[in-house]
Amino acid sequence: MRNNTVSTFDPKAFLTRIENGKTTREYRNKQIVFSQGDAADAVFYIQSGKVKLTVVSTRGKEAVIGVLERDSFFGEGCMAGQPLRMATASAIQPSTILRVGRSAMVGLLHREPAFAELFTAYLLSRNVRIEEDLVDQLFNSSEKRLARILLLLAHFGKESRPESVIPKVSQDTLAAMVGTTRSRVSYFMNRFRKMGLIHYNGGLQVHSALLSVVLRD
């Protein structure tokens, strides 16, 4: 039988009650939380809003490696001894983000087993997602990769109905996530719309039929 501790534990309420080693800050759209190369000394938790993680190569090429939503942790590399940030984190809508210093986070994980279980489960799920992203990048076409990203943003597999992709994720961001050009993303988005797989109605709506693009050979 599945342990319900993780599903019933409320990290937002728990972290709000912490008195030492944390700060909470409001971020504007496009405001940077931390930059690639900064000292890695804290873990962050998104109370509201969304955050984009990007990496820039030595040649200046930028790639989006993730879009994180409410109730997500990030910056956890410091817990494994990572001295510097490997990516830049920036808000992609007004966001409330809680920062927990590394030493305070270590103490919480030792003292609070329910929190430690939830944090570990989150890291494992992130690891699975990263492996899936790598396989997707290695073996699938840019059209399939875009379809998969849209389905993930719309929470297919987690929700019983499609969800608007809100806030607006720009085609430039989608292109960086897919690993292709903005013009190719625009082409595929128009193609999906004409096929009735997505539509715009106060935001981007993704239909479950888009899964057919991911599954076809």
Side-chain angles (χ1 to χ4, degrees):
M1 182 177 294
R2 184 179 182 274
N3 190 324
N4 289 325
T5 303
V6 172
S7 60
T8 57
F9 185 80
D10 184 351
K12 182 176 181 180
F14 172 75
L15 291 170
T16 300
R17 293 196 301 268
I18 299 173
E19 296 182 356
N20 300 314
K22 70 154 191 183
T23 55
T24 302
R25 182 176 173 183
E26 304 289 332
Y27 289 85
R28 303 183 307 274
N29 182 34
K30 298 184 179 180
Q31 187 173 1
I32 292 175
V33 181
F34 57 73
S35 296
Q36 186 173 333
D38 285 352
D41 56 1
V43 176
F44 295 81
Y45 176 76
I46 305 173
Q47 293 183 321
S48 65
K50 290 188 179 183
V51 168
K52 177 176 69 174
L53 301 178
T54 58
V55 175
V56 178
S57 72
T58 54
R59 296 183 178 181
K61 184 176 181 180
E62 183 179 272
V64 177
I65 58 174
V67 173
L68 306 178
E69 302 185 334
R70 180 172 55 89
D71 295 332
S72 295
F73 294 94
F74 64 100
E76 67 278 359
C78 68
M79 303 300 292
Q82 183 186 87
L84 301 175
R85 298 296 183 191
M86 301 297 291
T88 294
S90 54
I92 57 173
Q93 71 175 105
S95 303
T96 302
I97 298 173
L98 187 147
R99 177 189 184 277
V100 182
R102 183 184 181 280
S103 58
M105 192 71 174
V106 170
L108 289 174
L109 293 174
H110 281 124
R111 295 193 308 271
E112 303 289 342
F115 178 69
E117 184 178 355
L118 178 137
F119 186 66
T120 301
Y122 177 79
L123 294 183
L124 290 173
S125 67
R126 276 279 297 277
N127 187 60
V128 169
R129 169 70 186 276
I130 290 169
E131 289 181 352
E132 291 173 346
D133 288 346
L134 178 59
V135 171
D136 193 36
Q137 195 72 226
L138 290 172
F139 295 110
N140 289 331
S141 67
S142 54
E143 182 182 23
K144 283 188 177 183
R145 295 200 302 272
L146 176 60
R148 176 175 173 269
I149 285 169
L150 292 175
L151 289 165
L152 288 170
L153 290 173
H155 295 159
F156 275 96
K158 295 183 180 180
E159 304 285 341
S160 60
R161 59 184 176 80
E163 176 179 308
S164 296
V165 180
I166 297 175
K168 178 181 175 183
V169 177
S170 71
Q171 291 192 357
D172 287 327
T173 297
L174 289 173
M177 294 177 75
V178 172
T180 189
T181 62
R182 186 186 184 283
S183 62
R184 291 296 285 169
V185 167
S186 179
Y187 170 80
F188 290 132
M189 294 291 280
N190 286 329
R191 176 180 166 87
F192 294 160
R193 181 178 55 79
K194 290 176 181 178
M195 294 170 66
L197 304 177
I198 64 173
H199 75 277
Y200 297 90
N201 180 23
L204 176 63
Q205 296 284 331
V206 179
H207 299 284
S208 59
L210 185 61
L211 187 61
S212 64
V213 175
V214 177
L215 296 177
R216 77 180 177 216
D217 295 326

